[in-house]
Amino acid sequence: MQNHSNAGRLPPGQIITKKLPVMYVGDIPQINRTEWSLKIFGEVQKPVLLSWDEVRQLPKSRYTSDAHCVTTWSRLDNHWEGVSFSDLLTLVNPDPTANFVMVYGEQGYSANFPIHDLLRDGVLLAYTLDDKELATEHGFPLRLVVPHLYFWKSVKWVWGIEFLSTNKLGFWEQSGYHPHGDPWLQQRYTV
Ligand SMILES: Nc1nc2c(c(=O)[nH]1)N[C@H]1C(S)=C(S)[C@@H](COP(=O)(O)O)O[C@H]1N2
Ligand SMILES: [Mo]
């Protein structure tokens, strides 16, 4: 399946898939945008609770990136649109000691990051995929996209972003997934 233009884009041990599979634990939550909000809290100067309209009024970023699932599928060239993590960060002004971030999704899902990973190009809180409103199963209304880490880190149905001075482990990271998850280094599991 790999053609010339994909050379060097596939991390070791990965296989290309054409369609983006749907992966989740628990149930697919049905979220009403008018009742939904995004909470940004923790070690910050100014915690915020953003409504859907407020999120949509923030600067819009677009980024095309590849998704690499730890179960070995990769889907190339996903077109995402949303708010960049750096734009969200300026709203809350994190404390200088806030070197880590936990991102929370519905149903107890979460993923942990060193803050510098989220400040890289292409890290978005996305609301469209391939020019269409995010489908329910892909994380409607808002999902995280962190293209340079395994896709389990790209939390769907995001409701919260917490800034922390110490690193905690997220949902899968507590169950033996690698705390960092770099697909180029095959940081898949720790057990
Ligand atoms: N809230 C939540 N986010 C999640 C998951 C999940 O189970 N719950 N699964 C993760 C995993 S393992 C992958 S591979 C991607 C899959 O995203 P997709 O279903 O849009 O392809 O979502 C990630 N984000
Ligand atoms: Mo995954």
Side-chain angles (χ1 to χ4, degrees), residues 40-133:
I40 313 181
F41 63 108
E43 307 210 0
V44 299
Q45 300 292 307
K46 188 177 168 286
V48 293
L49 193 62
L50 300 172
S51 69
W52 175 250
D53 289 340
E54 287 168 329
V55 168
R56 287 308 305 256
Q57 281 156 21
L58 294 171
K60 188 191 276 186
S61 298
R62 293 164 195 273
Y63 204 87
T64 299
S65 58
D66 302 338
H68 308 298
C69 176
V70 71
T71 63
T72 73
W73 59 259
S74 289
R75 188 195 188 229
L76 306 185
D77 292 322
N78 306 295
H79 304 289
W80 301 104
E81 205 171 58
V83 183
S84 75
F85 181 83
S86 353
D87 283 333
L88 280 178
L89 178 138
T90 57
L91 298 177
V92 295
N93 195 11
D95 295 342
T97 49
N99 290 319
F100 301 94
V101 178
M102 188 76 84
V103 177
Y104 298 93
E106 291 297 320
Q107 316 224 329
Y109 200 84
S110 58
N112 62 284
F113 305 88
I115 196 166
H116 64 79
D117 267 310
L118 297 182
L119 293 171
R120 282 185 45 170
D121 275 357
V123 177
L124 302 181
L125 276 299
Y127 43 67
T128 77
L129 166 58
D130 295 341
D131 301 314
K132 288 188 283 288
E133 182 172 88

Side-chain angles (χ1 to χ4, degrees), residues 102-176:
M102 188 76 84
V103 177
Y104 298 93
E106 291 297 320
Q107 316 224 329
Y109 200 84
S110 58
N112 62 284
F113 305 88
I115 196 166
H116 64 79
D117 267 310
L118 297 182
L119 293 171
R120 282 185 45 170
D121 275 357
V123 177
L124 302 181
L125 276 299
Y127 43 67
T128 77
L129 166 58
D130 295 341
D131 301 314
K132 288 188 283 288
E133 182 172 88
L134 205 53
T136 303
E137 64 271 23
H138 290 301
F140 175 93
L142 196 71
R143 80 171 297 163
L144 181 64
V145 180
V146 185
H148 66 280
L149 297 177
Y150 279 123
F151 211 38
W152 87 72
K153 296 279 191 178
S154 292
V155 178
K156 304 195 278 189
W157 310 294
V158 170
W159 62 260
I161 300 175
E162 183 180 19
F163 288 83
L164 299 159
S165 58
T166 53
N167 198 12
K168 289 190 197 160
L169 297 180
F171 179 84
W172 283 120
E173 294 85 357
Q174 284 177 36
S175 302

